[in-house]
Amino acid sequence: MAGKNLNGQGSVYQRKQDGMWIGAAYVLTTTGHRKRITVSNRDPDEVRKALTRKIADSDAGIPVAAQTWTVAQYLAYWLEHIVKPRRPKTYQGYEGVVRRYLTPILGRKKLHRLTAPDVKMMMTRLRTECRCCADGIDAAREEKARKCCAKGECCHQVLSVRTVQFVHAVLRNALQNAVREEMIPRNVAKLVQVETPRYRINRGLSLEQAKHLLTAAKGDRLHALYVLALYLGMRRAELLGLRWVDVDLEAGTLEIVQTLQRVEGRLQFLPPKTDSSARTVPLIAAAAKALKDHRIAQHKERLEAGFGWTDTGLVFTSRVGTPLEPDNLRRSWYPLRKKIDAEGTRFHDLRHSCVTLLLGLGVPPHVVQEIVGHADMSVTLGIYAHVSLKDKREALALLQERIG
């Protein structure tokens, strides 16, 4: 019962060897060209319906994928050729997510056939499935040391909300690149909502602790680093990658054009985290003075080191001019945070402190965003700008006063 259709409607025919009904038509692809696609079913009416939908999508300008990659093949391409060259540090985290979660669950599916229900199913599994069971963690232990899943006593070690959200974010970013490269027509991961983790509120230093820190750090050779971290909200990698050529003390400006990070076992100078992270910020008097004092102190260290000095041009270095190891910054930070009664506070929380204190002073969020280099205003407001109990009390007291 093979039917001959008009041009543009495709054709439907029955395959002799197995009796399957096949529909074929030329449709628009993501490269702008047309290619022949087929659909199959044992019911000829279902074939006609499916073929009609494909042709209707093509006529409406909705293309089909030009390549028939699996999700695993595409993710491997995306990691190696898109993420790794641009953001090596990010690559390390993304690669682990792809290897542990995305490829095992979605890897065999065709990229162009991936649907929102597929993504939702994966997110549900990650949220509810015991990772000890799934990854064979307990089974990998010596038989005597096994204590839960391998003995039939599931320990229910599920992923945290933050990890599940991160997995979704990696997939969403990967598929968005596929949309940009016109491999798929839309990003189905964007159609799936995920639970947002609840961040610990009031992170960072209080105003009194911030004042105490600047006083306590005066005797530290990295005093200027803490001044910039607290006043300008600079990231650790931005501070350690800062060069003297990026600082203009006369004009009172500082440019952030590179970062210093340990990637694949070695220190590397890399571009800023995002386009918004590459920025120019003004140097207030306190920051300018701290940098001038630091330059004098560094010159003395250069003279003391003599021929042992390595000229890197960096603002913050070791005592012989070499780049500072990012993780070694804790040798300076840990004693300082103990002095100001802020044990448990991370160095990165100084950045949080800058944002929270600026917003608390009534600085417009878009100005704060520009100072610290957030890519999105929602980051500035959603993660860091938590209103304190004191602020809430004062606001309600003001309302009470107005109402009378």
Side-chain angles (χ1 to χ4, degrees):
M1 183 180 163
K4 189 172 183 180
N5 296 328
L6 297 174
N7 288 337
Q9 294 181 342
S11 60
V12 176
Y13 60 91
Q14 189 174 29
R15 198 160 53 196
K16 292 182 179 179
Q17 56 266 43
D18 57 9
M20 289 287 288
W21 285 91
I22 310 296
Y26 282 88
V27 297
L28 182 69
T29 71
T30 50
T31 62
H33 299 90
R34 302 184 79 83
K35 77 170 185 177
R36 186 174 184 270
I37 57 98
T38 60
V39 294
S40 60
N41 199 293
R42 295 201 174 275
D43 185 339
D45 290 334
E46 290 299 320
V47 169
R48 288 192 180 90
K49 289 177 184 177
L51 193 62
T52 299
R53 284 195 297 269
K54 294 284 187 184
I55 295 171
D57 285 346
S58 180
D59 291 342
I62 302 174
V64 299
Q67 299 191 50
T68 55
W69 280 357
T70 63
V71 172
Q73 289 171 330
Y74 169 70
L75 290 174
Y77 155 80
W78 173 68
L79 284 173
E80 189 65 28
H81 298 284
I82 306 299
V83 181
K84 193 174 185 179
R86 298 176 187 174
R87 299 174 64 184
K89 189 72 173 179
T90 302
Y91 167 84
Q92 293 181 327
Y94 281 13
E95 189 278 332
V97 167
V98 169
R99 172 171 39 82
R100 294 190 63 190
Y101 309 119
L102 296 179
T103 297
I105 300 177
L106 299 177
R108 293 185 179 182
K109 292 186 177 294
K110 295 293 185 182
L111 177 64
H112 67 282
R113 290 181 180 171
L114 188 67
T115 64
D118 291 332
V119 178
K120 191 171 184 178
M121 173 275 298
M122 179 193 72
M123 303 310 296
T124 300
R125 280 186 58 181
L126 292 178
R127 195 170 56 249
T128 60
E129 192 173 64
C130 173
R131 298 314 305 175
C132 183
C133 293
D135 298 337
I137 296 172
D138 192 47
R141 300 185 178 114
E142 292 184 9
E143 193 169 350
K144 292 181 180 179
R146 292 174 184 173
K147 56 185 180 181
C148 49
C149 298
K151 297 173 64 177
E153 301 171 4
C154 182
C155 59
H156 302 290
Q157 291 186 18
V158 298
L159 294 179
S160 67
V161 174
R162 178 69 188 96
T163 301
V164 173
Q165 185 199 41
F166 184 51
V167 173
H168 178 263
V170 173
L171 179 62
R172 187 185 66 237
N173 291 345
L175 295 183
Q176 193 58 35
N177 181 78
V179 172
R180 279 194 297 269
E181 295 191 9
E182 298 185 330
M183 296 179 180
I184 53 176
R186 63 176 181 171
N187 186 342
V188 295
K190 285 186 174 182
L191 305 177
V192 178
Q193 293 184 333
V194 293
E195 184 181 355
T196 303
R198 293 186 178 182
Y199 292 93
R200 179 167 55 94
I201 67 171
N202 296 328
R203 293 188 299 179
L205 305 181
S206 66
L207 183 59
E208 289 306 313
Q209 286 176 318
K211 291 178 180 178
H212 195 183
L213 172 63
L214 294 181
T215 302
K218 280 186 177 178
D220 195 290
R221 65 183 295 272
L222 296 178
H223 170 249
L225 181 142
Y226 293 105
V227 172
L228 296 185
L230 197 53
Y231 278 122
L232 304 183
M234 291 175 64
R235 299 175 176 91
R236 180 182 68 174
E238 294 171 347
L239 289 162
L240 300 186
L242 185 65
R243 302 168 301 177
W244 284 113
V245 294
D246 304 324
V247 178
D248 190 335
L249 292 173
E250 295 298 323
T253 59
L254 178 153
E255 285 188 276
I256 296 169
V257 297
Q258 69 172 18
T259 64
L260 177 67
Q261 301 180 57
R262 179 164 287 281
V263 180
E264 296 180 343
R266 62 190 179 90
L267 289 176
Q268 298 184 41
F269 291 105
L270 302 170
K273 185 177 180 181
T274 64
D275 291 340
S276 301
S277 300
R279 60 198 188 278
T280 300
V281 290
L283 285 176
I284 55 175
K289 183 181 185 306
L291 283 170
K292 288 176 183 177
D293 293 343
H294 181 75
R295 187 165 59 179
I296 293 171
Q298 190 181 72
H299 182 65
K300 291 180 180 178
E301 289 182 342
R302 179 197 292 264
L303 293 177
E304 291 174 1
F307 290 111
W309 180 266
T310 300
D311 191 5
T312 58
L314 295 172
V315 174
F316 301 111
T317 67
S318 69
R319 295 182 185 276
V320 292
T322 54
L324 278 177
E325 180 67 48
D327 286 342
N328 287 349
L329 187 58
R330 64 169 66 97
R331 295 177 183 173
S332 169
W333 170 237
Y334 281 8
L336 281 175
R337 72 178 188 179
K338 187 174 182 179
K339 285 182 181 179
I340 65 172
D341 194 25
E343 290 186 84
T345 302
R346 305 167 304 167
F347 179 83
H348 190 71
D349 289 333
L350 297 183
R351 175 172 166 83
H352 302 168
S353 305
C354 174
V355 175
T356 304
L357 292 173
L358 284 172
L359 290 169
L361 291 170
V363 178
H366 72 277
V367 176
V368 179
Q369 179 190 5
E370 290 289 330
I371 291 173
V372 299
H374 283 153
D376 194 321
M377 180 78 74
S378 64
V379 177
T380 310
L381 294 174
I383 299 179
Y384 305 117
H386 297 286
V387 181
S388 69
L389 186 61
K390 176 175 175 289
D391 292 331
K392 294 176 186 177
R393 193 183 304 279
E394 289 176 355
L396 292 173
L398 181 61
L399 178 63
Q400 174 183 270
E401 182 182 333
R402 290 294 174 88
I403 293 176

